[in-house]
Amino acid sequence: MYRQILDPVAGSLAWSSLVAALPLIALFVLLGIVRMTAWLAALISLAVALVVAIFVYPMPAGPAVLAATEGAAFGFFPILWIVINAIWIYNMTVHTGHFDVLRRSFARISDDQRIQGVIIAFSFGALLEALAGFGTPVAITSVMLIALGFKPMKAAVVALVANTAPVAFGALAVPITTLATVTGLPLGDLSAMVGRQTPILGVFVPIALVFIIDGVRGIRQTWPGALVCGVVFAIAQFAVSNYVSAPLTDIVASLLSAGAMVLFLRVWRPVESYVEGGGVSGFGTAGADGGKHRAVAASTATLPRPSGGGGAGDGGAGGDTGNGGAGVGNGPAQRDSGAEVFRAYAPYLIIIAVFALAQVPAIKDALTSVTQNFNWPGLHIESSSGKPSTLSMFKFDWLNAAGTLLIIAGLITIPVIGIRPMRALRAYGATYRQLAAAIVTVMAVLALAYVMNASGQTATLGTWMAGAGGVFALISPILGWLGVAVTGSDTSSNSLFGALQLVAAQKAGLSATLLAAANSSGGVLGKMISPQNLAIAAAAVGLSGREGDLFRRVFLWSLVFVAVMCLLVFGQSTPFLSWMVVP
């Protein structure tokens, strides 16, 4: 039985925290500065974590390695199990051409890529996050954006930044239910409190996406549409999380925000259409600079791509001549029948139906009846207080797992979209080959996280930060941000730090509900810089090996958003915004 020690370096929590942070420092330096391939950076950082665990804490080599194997297993199941099966469904729709139909359907809503980016990456991505989470929205929406003419790097950045506000309620609110379990706080209170924090992000994320796509000009021209989408999402997320149901929060918010955007586009359009990468025509307004529409062919990525329709870009009367040029694709826009459009949307409707049915009490009980909970063989850990750690408990809910539900949805999808079973099977095998680098990265990062957790490195960092007293409210979201940056999962971060936030709140005389919720709300902002999500995004757009470039492009956004969340939570801990705190 290994008992964790929080201050192994000279009995100092501060010095011990500095050493405990070495694996994280190594990971981010290798990704962001050295620009090393993510899977290799993750493996090297895992080795650093093992060295620190064995020679500093000291954790016996056997348990340290076992903790790494448990983390790797958790990385594959349930996390990669979800991503692989979600992308398999996507691959089948590409093979049958139905993804082309879906892309054209989105394109007909608006020919402006700034609007398309908001609808697909934010609203549709939020729906995917609500149903599956764990990297699924990043993988699918980034490819959808490329199909609409986005450059691969920009598509990945937009997908990563969009995957923020919905994350706390992702995968049918698993992060919130996990937080309630580890803290003992009421689920309804935590759901309501998070629903008074993340909607603030929801208002501004669509505007940030427009800025990423087209800079200040994009905000100036499209802010009404972006604001409508963000405000409707925020109001719905607040209302449902506070007064209806945590699991339904993102489903309702995503659908309402997309619907509001579609309706708003019937009475409003941007003054000029922005297209980068071809596929639709753009027209400048009278007297405006028409040379805004750039047609740049997107590079071929790893995942199969549908073809895009080409078009010319023309300048507005009285302005400079537009030089949008011919886009990549097949010429005039194709009109699809109602039946084809329905089949294109069918896989996602099937996913919604399968996940909804899985929540019916009788069905849920049947699915969970075969769940196995067992202690990871040979791994026995006590916390620094002498209590048995639950870290070594592994939950194998193979039938009720989101990835398994996606398999079921995929099997139902096969006859609906008309793909031959053998072709679907080949697509499944191809999906593993496409995601090979991402699979190694995710498993290595989770192995690193489990080694840090089991040895006490994570607890050292958290305890040191919790010593800030009343000021802890200001840095409380950073703890969640750090947890998600390492594990790639708000659920895992809540498991790591939820109880610690509770203890820190009690010591500082702050609201336990506030700080526990802050862990989840701050955590969502670490997802875009998590190595596992960077690897998933890079693999999806065909940029495997350039995870470091992605990291540098999203890191500032992550810092800016987490700073805003820190100020919000600190304000909620004072009389200034205390009216927002759940009593």
Side-chain angles (χ1 to χ4, degrees), residues 446-514:
L446 266 296
L448 177 152
Y450 268 65
V451 170
M452 290 186 65
N453 299 342
S455 63
Q457 295 172 61
T458 304
T460 295
L461 289 169
T463 304
W464 175 66
M465 293 178 67
V471 184
F472 182 68
L474 184 63
I475 62 175
S476 174
I478 296 178
L479 203 56
W481 175 80
L482 181 66
V484 176
V486 175
T487 66
S489 164
D490 200 38
T491 300
S492 298
S493 178
N494 288 343
S495 298
L496 298 180
F497 296 130
L500 183 63
Q501 297 272 13
L502 185 69
V503 173
Q506 294 169 344
K507 290 181 178 179
L510 299 170
S511 166
T513 301
L514 170 64

Side-chain angles (χ1 to χ4, degrees), residues 31 35-40 146 152-153 156 299-303 305 431-441 531-550:
L31 278 177
R35 303 188 183 187
M36 185 177 290
T37 302
W39 67 266
L40 184 56
I146 288 182
M153 182 62 72
S299 62
T300 302
T302 303
L303 294 179
R305 294 270 151 56
T431 302
Y432 278 86
R433 293 191 294 273
Q434 293 161 4
L435 297 177
I439 290 172
V440 174
T441 302
Q532 78 171 50
N533 283 303
L534 291 172
I536 290 169
V541 301
L543 295 177
S544 291
R546 296 187 60 188
E547 293 84 1
D549 292 335
L550 267 179

Side-chain angles (χ1 to χ4, degrees), residues 379-474:
L379 187 60
H380 305 281
I381 303 169
E382 286 184 350
S383 67
S384 58
S385 61
K387 296 180 180 179
S389 171
T390 59
L391 182 69
S392 58
M393 289 299 300
F394 192 89
K395 184 179 181 180
F396 187 53
D397 53 343
W398 63 273
L399 191 53
N400 189 51
T404 304
L405 296 180
L406 284 170
I407 286 258
I408 295 172
L411 293 174
I412 298 173
T413 295
I414 289 174
V416 173
I417 64 175
I419 187 173
R420 293 191 301 272
M422 285 306 299
R423 194 174 184 184
L425 183 60
R426 286 196 297 270
Y428 192 72
T431 302
Y432 278 86
R433 293 191 294 273
Q434 293 161 4
L435 297 177
I439 290 172
V440 174
T441 302
V442 172
M443 294 180 70
V445 168
L446 266 296
L448 177 152
Y450 268 65
V451 170
M452 290 186 65
N453 299 342
S455 63
Q457 295 172 61
T458 304
T460 295
L461 289 169
T463 304
W464 175 66
M465 293 178 67
V471 184
F472 182 68
L474 184 63

Side-chain angles (χ1 to χ4, degrees), residues 539-575:
V541 301
L543 295 177
S544 291
R546 296 187 60 188
E547 293 84 1
D549 292 335
L550 267 179
F551 175 80
R552 285 190 300 278
R553 295 199 181 201
V554 300
F555 184 65
L556 183 59
W557 287 106
S558 182
L559 286 183
V560 169
F561 280 136
V562 79
V564 171
M565 184 57 65
C566 287
L567 292 174
L568 174 63
V569 173
F570 181 70
Q572 291 174 332
S573 72
T574 68

Side-chain angles (χ1 to χ4, degrees), residues 324-383:
V328 292
N330 300 321
Q334 178 179 339
R335 301 300 299 181
D336 302 299
S337 68
E340 284 300 302
V341 171
F342 173 77
R343 279 193 288 270
Y345 281 92
Y348 304 100
L349 297 175
I350 291 169
I351 290 173
I352 294 173
V354 169
F355 276 83
L357 287 173
Q359 300 306 306
V360 175
I363 298 177
K364 187 173 184 178
D365 290 344
L367 294 174
T368 57
S369 64
V370 294
T371 297
Q372 299 292 320
N373 294 285
F374 59 91
N375 194 82
W376 196 254
L379 187 60
H380 305 281
I381 303 169
E382 286 184 350
S383 67

